[in-house]
Every structure is written in structure tokens, then in C-alpha cells.
Amino acid sequence: MASATNGYNSVFRQDAVNIMRGKSQAPLEIYTRSNTGSPSPKAWAPSGIAVDSLYVYWGNRERGSSNGAVVKGSRVNVGLLSQDRQIKALSKSVDEVHGMVATGTHVFYLSPDGVHGVLKTAAQLVSSAGAGLVARSPAAMDITWDGDNTLYFTDAASGAVYTLPALNILEHNVSKYVDAPGARALAVVGFGGGSSLLHSSAGSAAVCASLPGAVAAWLAVALTVAAAAGTTA
């Protein structure tokens, strides 16, 4: 999935098999201004995107307080009939969203105020200004999740990567993880071994991408993540 920037105002899908084959052109346009509601389409200026097994989530880089700061839409490639698909705004708490990640239970998103969170299953629209603020960081640029209990986000002003708990949307103090001057993008790459019965250990790497002009500099920082050992029934 990808949200469009630079003048495009839709959410697109590109199948993984096409990307693996080097066929990244002509993605399928899924959500647009014309099919996400009127007079305030929920796909107004998509910026920041996340997916899970059933839904795609996106933010809007403008008009979030009217069109949706966080929007949840059914994926269209999971066998749902058109009448069973849904699209709804989860939050209208901020005007501008510029980064997003989904955990198993929450969507965390970035605004000029910092890091916010909202439950994926929120029954009521979150509309209070600034609601769900979990960390104050006006220069937060990108955010990712380690698949367990921790969020990582970059802060352009301090030139560092910080961590946050990923289990709730209470306001937290952040913990500095590593200096990363100029970092603008962040991802977690998993690696490890094991079997279907027992996972003895695992790890991940926080990767900060700094893009001064056309030159990309990469900083890889190894994280130690202990995997819970267990057996299947």
C-alpha cells in the first residue's frame, strides 16, 4: 500500500508479487476523493499509511480535523463483498499528519505536536484537539514499531531516535535510543531463527535513513530483543 504525495490525493495498492518482479508501475487506485465521502472526503491528502490483515489506515497532511486525521478503510483484496467494506475516521484530533504506524491494537501517528495514538477499534470518533498525545515532539519525522512493545521515532530537532511504549495511548516520557543527526526515515528489520514449536531468540535492527540531497547515508543500530519461548498446543 502507498499514500500519494506531491499533488496526488489517493491511496494506491501495488501487489507484492509485482514489486518482487520489478513491476512497480501502474498501481491500483483504491481510495480517492471521489469515493470516500462528500462533502469532506476522507482521502483528502493522504500522508502516512499502515496496513494489517483486514484494513488500511492513513492520515491526511491537511484538513485532518474535518476530513480525518486517521482513517480506517477495508482492504479490497481480502475477499470482502463491496457491501461489507467500510471506511471511517478514527480521529480528527489534528489538522496535519505526516507519519503513521499500526501495532496489533493501535494506530500511532505524527503531527506537529508530537506522537499521538488511537485504538484501531475505537467506537467513537476522537475529535478533541490534540487528543491521544502520547509524546511531545514537534520535530518528529517518522515512526515504526518493533512488533512487540516498543515504538521508535526520529526527531529532527535533536537529531536522535527515541523510544516509547506501544501498549497504550497514555502520555509518556520518551527515552533516547541513539543519536542520529539528520535522520528522516525509520524502519525495523527483523531477523532470527527458530521453529514452529520454540523460538529461542530473535533480534531486530533500527535503520535510520538520512537523505542530504541525492546522497543517502545509512545508520544501522542493532537491538537485542528477547523472544518469549513457548510451545504449541
Side-chain angles (χ1 to χ4, degrees):
M1 291 284 184
S3 60
T5 57
N6 301 325
Y8 294 94
N9 300 295
S10 302
V11 176
F12 296 84
R13 189 190 85 232
Q14 181 60 272
D15 291 334
V17 64
N18 289 338
I19 296 174
M20 292 174 65
R21 292 173 178 173
K23 299 178 180 179
S24 59
Q25 301 299 313
L28 180 63
E29 192 174 39
I30 303 299
Y31 289 112
T32 70
R33 289 184 178 181
S34 63
N35 68 8
T36 56
S38 178
S40 300
K42 296 176 180 64
W44 177 258
S47 177
I49 196 163
V51 296
D52 60 22
S53 58
L54 293 176
Y55 298 99
V56 54
Y57 308 84
W58 68 88
N60 283 297
R61 64 182 177 271
E62 57 185 48
R63 299 193 186 184
S65 58
S66 60
N67 297 59
V70 179
V71 180
K72 172 183 178 180
S74 298
R75 290 178 56 174
V76 299
N77 62 337
V78 293
L80 289 176
L81 298 176
S82 58
Q83 62 266 29
D84 295 326
R85 297 172 188 166
Q86 62 172 288
I87 179 171
K88 62 180 292 188
L90 297 179
S91 174
K92 293 185 177 181
S93 64
V94 297
D95 266 332
E96 177 188 342
V97 172
H98 54 259
M100 179 176 290
V101 68
T103 70
T105 54
H106 296 80
V107 176
F108 292 92
Y109 54 104
L110 305 179
S111 83
D113 296 324
V115 183
H116 302 254
V118 64
L119 274 169
K120 287 180 172 182
T121 55
Q124 300 295 323
L125 173 69
V126 178
S127 57
S128 299
L133 184 66
V134 298
R136 299 179 186 277
S137 179
M141 297 296 297
D142 196 21
I143 188 167
T144 190
W145 175 51
D146 69 354
D148 194 10
N149 299 323
T150 306
L151 299 166
Y152 298 84
F153 70 92
T154 59
D155 184 277
S158 62
V161 175
Y162 293 90
T163 64
L164 274 172
L167 298 179
N168 58 56
I169 53 174
L170 301 176
E171 187 167 0
H172 296 280
N173 293 321
V174 301
S175 298
K176 184 177 178 180
Y177 178 70
V178 68
D179 289 316
R184 291 294 185 273
L186 190 67
V188 170
V189 182
F191 59 88
S195 69
S196 60
L197 296 178
L198 178 67
H199 293 280
S200 60
S201 65
S204 59
V207 181
C208 308
S210 176
L211 300 172
V215 181
W218 293 89
L219 169 65
V221 182
L223 309 178
T224 300
V225 180
T231 57
T232 59

